[in-house]
């Protein structure tokens, strides 16, 4: 994350290097969402973008990707995951309207916390007046289901573009796994990939984490990714 603001130095968040648009595997129906996020990162979009979907659906990856894209273009970005709101202060939001791209993850986590709701609402208004900052928010639910006690905040979140992340089909997950494996110099056959899909949690983050473990194990043991080897390593 580019340190264009002193606020960023006090936020205990590290953007992973491997979560970019190039490493994101979109499900059918998510193309327009990705285009909108790229436009936000490039400063070509006005208003806010709200994306929602269940945990491990790829929301955080996309927000990291948008920040990385902005930084690659020499633009400033700020990413804040509100899942950690209990350990940070709403004061972190002050002055963010001066940054090119602001990504607020898990915004529904502060529902029922009046000080945080007011701070997000005020940030919306400042960004709307400034017209130079792009705002991206994510939640596990749609704006109307966030549970905010501040009606005006719900209204603000319905102003801009709203996208529900579409889930990936199994064939898309298999292709994503195989592409990830190929990036690491591994060959993942259809049979082995489907074995992982059938035996593990089906979200890509879990699947990718397991693939990373198997990559290291294959190097240590000098073995290919076969079903017997995977059973042995994962104790399945």
């Amino acid at each position: 994350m580019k340190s264009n603001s002193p606020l960023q130095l006090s936020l205990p968040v590290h953007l992973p290097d491997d979560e970019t648009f190039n490493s994101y595997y979109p499900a059918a129906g998510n193309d327009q969402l990705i285009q909108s996020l790229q436009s936000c990162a490039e400063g070509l979009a006005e208003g806010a973008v709200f994306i929602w979907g269940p945990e491990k659906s790829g929301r955080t990856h996309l927000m990291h990707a948008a920040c990385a894209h902005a930084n690659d273009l020499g633009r400033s970005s700020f990413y804040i995951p509100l899942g950690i709101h209990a350990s940070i202060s709403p004061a972190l939001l002050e002055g963010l309207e001066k940054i090119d791209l602001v990504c607020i993850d898990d915004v529904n986590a502060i529902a029922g916390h009046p000080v945080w709701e007011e701070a997000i609402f005020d940030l919306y208004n400042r960004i709307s007046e400034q017209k130079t900052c792009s705002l991206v928010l994510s939640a596990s639910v749609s704006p109307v289901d966030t549970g905010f006690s501040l009606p005006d905040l719900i209204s603000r979140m319905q102003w801009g573009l709203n996208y529900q992340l579409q889930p990936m089909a199994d064939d898309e997950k298999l292709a994503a796994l195989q592409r990830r494996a190929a990036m690491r110099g591994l060959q993942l056959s259809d049979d082995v990939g489907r074995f992982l899909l059938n035996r593990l949690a089906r979200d890509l983050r879990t699947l990718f984490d397991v693939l990373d473990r198997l990559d290291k194990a294959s190097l240590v043991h000098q073995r290919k990714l076969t079903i017997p080897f995977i059973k042995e390593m994962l104790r399945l």
Side-chain angles (χ1 to χ4, degrees):
M1 178 166 52
K2 193 172 183 177
S3 296
N4 292 74
S5 164
L7 296 177
Q8 292 172 311
L9 301 178
S10 62
L11 188 62
V13 173
H14 172 70
L15 295 182
D17 295 334
D18 63 342
E19 295 196 353
T20 65
F21 285 125
N22 286 336
S23 64
Y24 183 74
Y25 311 96
N30 288 333
D31 291 343
Q32 188 175 355
L33 162 59
I34 294 172
Q35 290 174 5
S36 293
L37 292 180
Q38 289 174 331
S39 294
C40 285
E42 295 165 6
L44 303 176
E46 293 186 3
V49 174
F50 189 101
I51 61 177
W52 59 282
E55 288 187 16
K56 299 181 179 180
S57 61
R59 290 184 288 117
T60 297
H61 184 137
L62 285 172
M63 302 192 91
H64 289 168
C67 288
H69 188 45
N71 294 346
D72 287 344
L73 296 173
R75 296 171 57 78
S76 58
S77 68
F78 189 92
Y79 169 81
I80 176 172
L82 288 187
I84 64 168
H85 69 87
S87 61
I88 57 178
S89 167
L92 279 172
L93 303 183
E94 296 176 4
L96 292 189
E97 67 277 5
K98 299 176 182 179
I99 291 178
D100 296 320
L101 174 67
V102 176
C103 292
I104 302 178
D105 208 355
D106 296 318
V107 68
N108 55 301
I110 54 94
H113 298 271
V115 176
W116 270 106
E117 291 191 21
E118 287 285 353
I120 297 289
F121 178 71
D122 289 343
L123 177 61
Y124 252 102
N125 290 336
R126 296 196 306 271
I127 288 176
S128 179
E129 293 172 1
Q130 193 86 1
K131 297 186 183 300
T132 57
C133 173
S134 294
L135 177 63
V136 180
L137 303 103
S138 91
S140 59
V141 293
S142 69
V144 295
D145 295 320
T146 49
F148 292 125
S149 55
L150 188 63
D152 285 344
L153 180 56
I154 298 175
S155 176
R156 289 291 186 278
M157 291 187 176
Q158 294 177 290
W159 274 8
L161 298 174
N162 276 263
Y163 295 99
Q164 180 182 7
L165 271 173
Q166 300 302 313
M168 296 182 77
D170 283 352
D171 286 347
E172 292 173 321
K173 291 180 181 179
L174 175 60
L177 267 177
Q178 290 175 324
R179 181 178 171 188
R180 182 86 167 196
M183 291 171 63
R184 283 160 170 69
L186 297 170
Q187 184 176 3
L188 188 71
S189 68
D190 290 354
D191 288 344
V192 172
R194 290 193 180 95
F195 175 80
L196 290 173
L197 286 172
N198 291 332
R199 299 297 292 271
L200 302 172
R202 288 175 170 244
D203 65 276
L204 281 186
R205 173 47 56 196
T206 297
L207 291 168
F208 285 172
D209 286 346
V210 169
L211 187 61
D212 290 345
R213 287 169 52 197
L214 292 172
D215 179 19
K216 294 175 183 177
S218 69
L219 288 174
V220 170
H221 297 279
Q222 292 296 299
R223 293 176 61 181
K224 296 180 179 180
L225 292 187
T226 63
I227 291 176
F229 176 65
I230 290 173
K231 284 183 176 180
E232 179 184 343
M233 291 297 100
L234 302 182
R235 299 181 180 181
L236 296 175

